[in-house]
Every structure is written in C-alpha cells, then in structure tokens.
Amino acid sequence: MKDTATMNPAKTLFGRFQLELANIKGDAVMTKPADLISTTTMLLERIKARKLAVYYSPLLRDWRTEGVFSVEKFSMEDVYELEETPPADFDPQTHRDRLAGSDVAITTADYLLADTGTIAFRGHSQPSKLVTILSPALIILARMEQIYPDIRALHAHLESEGSSTASSIAYYTGPSRTADIEKTLVLGVHGPKELFVVVVE
Amino acid sequence: MQSKTKEFKKELPRHLDNDIMRRNIAKATWLSMQKREKVVTEIDDWEARREEAHLIKKDIVANLFDYLDQFEARAKQQGIVVHRAADAAEANKIAEQIARDHDVKSIVKSKSMLTEEIDFNKHMIGKGFEVIETDLGEYILQLADEPPSHLTGPAVHMSRVEIAKVFHEQLGIDYSEDPEHLTITARNLLRDKFLEADMGVTGANFAIIENGGVAVVENEGNARMCMTLPRIHVAIIGIERMIPRVEDLGLFLPLLCRSATGQKLTSFISMIDGPRKPNEYDGPESVHYILVDNGRSGFLEDEHMKEALHCIRCGACYNTCPVYQNIGGHAYGWVYQGPIGAVITPQLLGLEAAGSLPFASSLCGSCSEVCPVKIPLHHLLLYQRNRVVKAGLAPSMEKTAMNQFVRVGKSPKTMGRLGKAGRFFQRLLGKKAYVPGWSKSREFPEIAENSFRKWWRDNKNDED
Ligand code: SF4
C-alpha cells in the first residue's frame, strides 16, 4: 500500500475522473504546463480540425500572445477567437454562424467532478454558452486543483464560499448521446460528439 | 394530449396483442432496470438519500404557495418574466401571447411532459406557429403522429423498422434502419430549425427557490440549445417542481439520473439564469417562466395524495412495473403512465374518467421500492381504488361479484354450501370452472376435496 499512501491525492482524483469519463466515451489526458500546447495540437490533429473556435479565458490568454492558434500555424481554414467581452462591432448572426460552422471548440472548465467524469461551468463565467454546444468536438482545459470528488463536495465548497446562491452551473457528463432508437447508443445527436479534457498539472 | 383513459379496459386487449410493442417495451424496461441497479447499489447511503429527498419534498408540498412566491421573486431579480397559469388553457394562452408580442414564427422545444399534459403543440400549431420537437424520441413521435409511451424514452415502444418507415415516408429520405444514420439525418434537419427558431420552449426538472433558477436535465444537448439559441426562451414549469437550494441539486440530480437511465449524471444539465447580459455573446433576449397549476393544488387538499406531488419523473416505477412491462405506456391513455400515472391521472382527470387506472396494478410494491423520493406508490394505488369504489364508480360486474363475496364470506353456512356445490359440479363436469375473460389467461384452481372447515374439525386435536 506504499504506493497509494505516497500518491498525490490530486492525481488519484484525476485517475478517477479519467476512468469515469472513459466509461462514458470521453477522453481525459494530463499534461505538464510546458506540454499544454503540444498536447492540444495533437488533439486537434486527431480530430482533423479545419475550423476552430477558441474562447480566451484567463488560462488561455497567455497562449494567444504567443500566437498559438494562428491560422498559419495550424493551417486552419478559420479560427474564431472570442475575447472576454464581445467586440464593439459584434454581430450575433456571424457569431452563431461561425460557431455552428466550426468543427472544434476550445475553452476552459470551472470545475471537474472525479466521481462522475463531469465538467462544470459556472453560469455567466463564460461570456458564450454556445461555444460549448454547437461544435461537433470540444476540447476543455482545466487545472488539477479544479477537480472535486463529486457533486456534493462541489456544492459544499460553493456554499462555504458563499457563492452558491448567486451561481448557476452547467454540468457536462460525456458527449451528447441518445438511445431513443431501440436503446442503441448513438453519440453526437445535437451537442458535441467528441469530448476531450486536458488537465494541467 | 387527448385522454383515452375511459376506454382503458376496452382497449387493453389491443395493446396486449401488439407483440412488437411488447417486445420493445420488455427489452427497454429490462435494460433500464439492469443499469439502474448497478449505479444505485454502488451508493452506500442510497436509502438515507431517498429519505432526505422525501423530507425536502414534503416540506415543499406543505408550503407550496409560499415557496412559489419566493421562487417567483428571485426569478424576477434575475430578469425573468414570471407568469402563472391556473390551467392548461391559460398556460397556452400566455405562451401564445408571448409569441405574438415577440413576433415569433417558429418554435423549437425540448421534451416536457407538462407540455404534453396541456396540449401545447396542438394549441400553438392551431394558432399558426411552427412547433418542432427536438429531442430525437419526441421528433420521431411528432413525425409518426403518436403520443409518448414513457417518461424518459418517449419512443421506446417503436422498433427501428417502424422508425425507418416513418423517416422514409415523412422526410423522403432513403430507407435505412441504421440508428446512427437516422440520428444524423435528424441532427442535420433539426440544426437548421434551431438556427432559424425565434422561440425555445423547455420544461423544468428542478426550480430552485433560493435563486429563481431552473435546472434542465437531458442527454442530447437539444434542451441546452432551446434555452440558448432562440431570441425568446419560455420554460413551462409545474408548480411542484421546486427544491430549496442550489446545493440540493447535489442530492436530487444523482437520485434522478441514476433512477431514470442508470447514468451517474446525464450528459447535459443546464440552469436557466436569466436573459443575456450586456457583456455576453449569446443567450436569449427575454426569458419567461409559466408556472402551471392545472389541478396540482387539488392534491394539497388530500393528506395522502399530496405525496404524489413529490414525483421527480424519473420513470423507474414504469420500468419495474410488471403491468407497464406488459401493456406499455399507451394503454394508460394519457401522458402519465405506469404506477405514478395510475395514481395521479384519476386525480388530474377525475375519478370518473380515469377510475380504471388504479386497478392496473398487482400491488407488488416494486414501484414504491425503486422510487427515489419514496412515494408510497402501491399504498396510493390502493387508496385511489378505495376512492373509486366509494364514489360508486367500481365496474358493475366487479361490484356485484364483490358484494356476493362479502355475503358469502360473512356466512359460514353459505360458504359451506357453495363449496359443496362447487365440488359437486367439478366432479360432475370433470373440469375446472370457467370465468369469461378471467380464464383466458389463467386457470381456475381446482376446488379441494374437503373444505378447510372440515379439515380443521378432523385434524384440530392431532397436535394435543
Ligand atoms: S413516482 Fe417515483 S419512481 Fe415513479 S416517476 Fe415519480 S419519482 Fe420516479
């Protein structure tokens, strides 16, 4: 039992998260901060992404200054970049069209739940809800310390923070799925069909 | 939804003879129960959680209208427009008015039993609006022009062959029985509808009193789209859907998801949190709640029936019910089916219209055991039977039979005579009794050689 005793509890939580997400047909990988970009690039290649939508949350902002998601670099057809607030000349119709036309979206999660393989987003913490629902593939980035054991633990934490009342939360637990035709599982009926979570150590 | 509960008995043989439907339902309910079992047994304090949920719901129901006022006040603080509807007609009128005020032409909606209950689609389509169901199961049913037959899997009664035919005939696509292909076809068609729609309509799984939010539970992502894409979002909410705090979702979501589909959590759980804010990219311009009573407050006057308002619509009682497994959802004749349907439908539609439903149960108690909020379903079924009988609405054949039985049972002499007569005829005819209808699927038991009373007289001293 020496192994478990010395094991980093956060890594144990990640192990559980990864397993649970795999059970419901999602994928989670752990990466070092320095490898974040190469890991994400690998996923984009795996998805064969041509059109990318990316929301620059604080975690992602640094990347942009380095020009990580430049059109040239990925030889993407389109990279739709969302800032923390819409630009002055914002056009809702173009926004929707570009998101609906993208084949992958990248954004960050607010919390992960190990016990169920769940990704949680605080309402209004992300300026666009459509980023996480319209593309057929989704890459979610999160930090190790954002993983909670389960939904009750998260809510207890929010309560202790005093932010529970004000908050609204969305939970994603695996890709979009249906079993409406003879109980046969089909993924990606409306929302994302592929779901990747990259957890930064 | 048009109710056919009055024809329950007459229609039963038709459903029992529908082998395709029965096979599909048997398979679906069996699979669901297997999956549920696996994820429920892994929770050590499942029983304690059921109890906790039961007590929370009990408190909600006991103070329903006070809580409703609080919920409404908080929702308004979030910028949500709140309407109250006493009945189905009023709810539909309000929805229609919202649509007119905002110059709405097309409506996309997600699965909601309450909208079935109030016949929302029929009303709105009748007024010239386009209404599209976007949950795959509901979309199939809309194309097939059939009502749902289950809470969580509305099209479980249909086989892939039937679905393939509907898609082929209604959408003009090449015939295919491949679920993946059919799903992608629906996805593409519905995506266009989503992007065009002016108004999104959803139901509500949990209305949260402390912040006026509403949680919507689903697997496809269509509900999330209905609440985010169109300009207008209308949530149609049963007044009993409330829970006190956001934190209580930690209790109720696992109870619901694990009981309903055997998932630990469903793929998407979204919360309504008001219209789009100035610094946001998307979200509806205006969000409305329609809080619908439609007979629910009637439950409050009855100490027993009150508990039926705890229901979180997981469908586990359907899946475990031997009667539902055999007759399917349509047999019940209205939106709510299975054990909970048999309890609440007579309350909502009246004992006269739906008095037969509580008798569609073997009272095995399995429903009460699986119910995540501990509704004593089989007691309520019995209670409803009682009310039906007291109201003088018991089926006349049964009434006569029961009255005779009471007469016979009360008099040892008559009982003895009848037994003798039975044994005599059994010997004489050399076969068992035949009771029309009843004997079709059962054998009448052989009448014993001797009566129990005789056996007792002969044997009672043996033990001494
Ligand atoms: S009565 Fe209980 S088991 Fe049946 S649907 Fe409602 S919550 Fe689920």
Side-chain angles (χ1 to χ4, degrees), chain B residues 382-438:
Chain B
L382 205 56
Y383 178 72
Q384 289 290 57
R385 285 186 190 182
N386 234 315
R387 289 177 72 200
V388 172
V389 172
K390 276 201 189 123
L393 294 164
S396 60
M397 247 283 276
E398 207 167 283
K399 227 182 326 193
T400 319
M402 278 299 167
N403 285 339
Q404 291 304 322
F405 181 76
V406 169
R407 241 191 61 202
V408 172
K410 271 187 179 160
S411 148
K413 230 187 220 162
T414 326
M415 183 89 165
R417 270 197 219 119
L418 214 72
K420 260 185 208 152
R423 276 187 286 279
F424 173 74
F425 279 111
Q426 187 167 283
R427 270 198 299 274
L428 187 73
L429 301 170
K431 67 174 185 189
K432 293 173 210 159
Y434 179 80
V435 184
W438 199 84

Side-chain angles (χ1 to χ4, degrees), chain A residues 16 20 23 55 80-87 90 92-93 95-97 99-100 113 115-116 118 121-136 150-152 155-156 158-159 164-193, chain B residues 24 27-28 31-32 45 49 52 134-138 140 152-156 158-161 163 179-180 182-184 186-187 190-191 194-197 210-211 219-222 224-225 228-230 245-247 249-251 253-254 258 263-282:
Chain A
R16 180 69 196 272
E20 290 296 332
N23 282 342
Y55 163 56
Y80 177 34
E81 301 171 297
L82 288 91
E83 308 288 340
E84 273 183 87
T85 47
F90 176 67
Q93 193 55 48
H95 165 69
R96 287 160 51 138
D97 290 347
L99 284 180
L113 307 178
D115 175 49
T116 46
T118 301
F121 305 101
R122 290 280 288 272
H124 300 299
S125 80
Q126 308 222 353
S128 167
K129 285 182 176 135
L130 289 180
V131 168
T132 51
I133 193 79
L134 287 180
S135 348
D150 57 28
I151 188 170
R152 294 195 97 170
H155 280 285
L158 293 175
E159 190 79 0
S164 169
T165 316
S167 72
S168 84
I169 297 193
Y171 297 102
Y172 277 37
T173 307
S176 158
R177 64 188 60 220
T178 179
D180 275 337
I181 303 177
E182 283 194 0
K183 289 270 153 191
T184 312
L185 178 68
V186 180
L187 298 180
V189 50
H190 288 294
K193 183 182 178 134
Chain B
N24 295 331
K27 180 179 151 194
L31 271 172
S32 300
D45 60 343
R49 292 191 191 193
E52 195 183 342
T134 60
D135 170 84
L136 180 62
E138 290 284 352
I140 293 168
T152 57
V156 278
M158 292 178 85
S159 67
R160 71 177 73 197
V161 176
I163 296 169
E180 179 106 31
L182 294 169
T183 304
I184 298 307
R187 176 189 165 112
L190 290 171
R191 185 52 79 92
F194 270 120
L195 292 170
E196 281 165 17
E210 77 171 349
N211 73 354
N219 268 314
E220 299 182 359
N222 63 311
R224 191 161 174 80
M225 288 186 186
T228 324
L229 270 171
R245 303 163 307 163
V246 180
E247 200 184 356
L249 287 173
L251 172 68
L253 287 174
R258 287 176 194 248
Q263 291 170 279
K264 294 182 179 176
L265 288 177
T266 60
S267 296
F268 303 99
I269 296 160
S270 308
M271 231 187 275
I272 303 173
D273 50 13
R276 170 183 167 192
K277 308 237 180 310
N279 59 348
E280 290 179 332
Y281 282 82
D282 41 50

Side-chain angles (χ1 to χ4, degrees), chain B residues 341-371:
Chain B
V343 169
I344 65 175
T345 307
Q347 174 74 31
L348 289 168
L349 298 180
L351 294 177
E352 191 157 350
S356 306
L357 295 183
F359 295 87
S361 163
S362 58
L363 298 181
C364 69
S366 175
C367 44
S368 309
E369 258 166 52
V370 297
C371 178

Side-chain angles (χ1 to χ4, degrees), chain B residues 143-209:
Chain B
L143 292 177
D145 194 21
E146 281 189 35
S149 71
H150 194 282
L151 275 178
T152 57
V156 278
H157 60 281
M158 292 178 85
S159 67
R160 71 177 73 197
V161 176
E162 291 169 310
I163 296 169
K165 270 192 203 139
V166 170
F167 269 59
H168 175 63
E169 283 161 16
Q170 299 297 316
L171 300 173
I173 61 159
D174 289 345
Y175 183 87
S176 164
E177 289 174 16
D178 175 23
E180 179 106 31
H181 180 77
L182 294 169
T183 304
I184 298 307
T185 306
R187 176 189 165 112
N188 294 338
L189 284 164
L190 290 171
R191 185 52 79 92
D192 292 341
K193 294 291 178 193
F194 270 120
L195 292 170
E196 281 165 17
D198 306 299
M199 181 163 134
V201 171
T202 64
N205 292 93
F206 300 104
I208 302 153
I209 298 164

